[in-house]
Amino acid sequence: MLLAIDTSTSLIGAAVHDGSAVLAEVTELDPRRHAELLGPGVHRCLAQAGVAPGAFTAVAVGVGPGPFTGLRVGVVTALVLGQVWGVPVHGICSLDALAAEVAASLERRAADLLVATDARRKEVYWARYAVAPGAARRTEGPGVARAADLPRAVRDLPAVGRGPHLYPDVLHAAPGPLDVRPGVLAGVAAAALAAGDPDGVLLPPEPLYLRRPDAVARAGAVP
């Protein structure tokens, strides 16, 4: 029994997965109120699934990349729940979940895909994937850059996430998700756990910030 949390994009949410399917998923679309919305969302998700906290065997959390404050809220919440429940906490690259959602909708052919999410500062968080029906493999990234500064071979790929909609003059939007769905992230984590994680999908529960925070200590300041 797995609880999955993601706060790496504008969609804040949680999902309960029983190892075979998603039992419940609760999401709120808000790019700023991660701290206010996540806790109540987790509570509602557990209630909808009808699962008591003591039933969980693991927690999965999207570790980004994503904006500093929102990402920290999700990772810290997952770590606290894991400690309280006495279960392991596994990190998942949030971009992997977006690619996995695209792969789940493919019926026949394989293709290369760009996942690009909003990194603010006129930049995107990005990664390149080889996707096939039911499978997505990251081949480059994750990284952070201005959309126009991505290599031409990457910019020309069909792209999902909010990046291609923010920068339509540079990136090429393809049908697919805009934000990370916790239910999809739960499925990625559950599959990796069931298989023994041969591809190294499970990561330490530490945020992938990819760049330094805006607020830094002054030189000579006392910690």
Side-chain angles (χ1 to χ4, degrees):
M1 192 68 68
L2 174 78
L3 173 70
I5 291 170
D6 192 88
T7 56
S8 65
T9 62
S10 298
L11 196 67
I12 306 155
V16 174
H17 198 289
D18 68 357
S20 299
V22 174
L23 301 183
E25 181 183 59
V26 171
T27 60
E28 294 279 358
L29 186 63
D30 194 311
R32 302 290 181 185
R33 299 176 60 221
H34 297 80
E36 295 91 336
L37 296 173
L38 181 59
V42 170
H43 181 77
R44 294 201 310 275
C45 190
L46 267 62
Q48 289 182 17
V51 176
F56 287 98
T57 56
V59 176
V61 60
V63 294
F68 184 88
T69 302
L71 196 57
R72 182 175 56 187
V73 168
V75 172
V76 169
T77 299
L79 289 170
V80 169
L81 291 175
Q83 183 174 21
V84 170
W85 297 344
V87 300
V89 180
H90 303 287
I92 299 288
C93 176
S94 300
L95 304 181
D96 289 1
L98 285 162
E101 187 167 349
V102 174
S105 66
L106 290 180
E107 295 181 355
R108 295 195 182 114
R109 63 187 185 86
D112 281 352
L113 176 75
L114 171 64
V115 174
T117 61
D118 184 13
R120 301 171 188 171
R121 304 184 192 174
K122 299 182 180 180
E123 294 180 329
V124 293
Y125 294 117
W126 68 277
R128 181 176 184 167
Y129 292 85
V131 293
R137 178 175 57 87
R138 185 163 15 108
T139 58
E140 192 174 355
V144 59
R146 287 177 176 264
D149 292 339
L150 293 175
R152 168 69 69 177
V154 174
R155 294 201 311 267
D156 288 345
L157 294 173
V160 299
R162 292 195 177 270
H165 299 276
L166 291 170
Y167 309 104
D169 55 329
V170 179
L171 303 179
H172 308 285
L178 296 178
D179 298 299
V180 177
R181 297 202 65 89
V184 176
L185 188 138
V188 171
L193 287 167
D197 194 28
D199 299 320
V201 172
L202 302 177
L203 304 174
E206 301 169 356
L208 293 172
Y209 290 133
L210 300 188
R211 64 187 180 199
R212 296 177 62 83
D214 291 331
V216 295
R218 297 191 310 273
V222 178

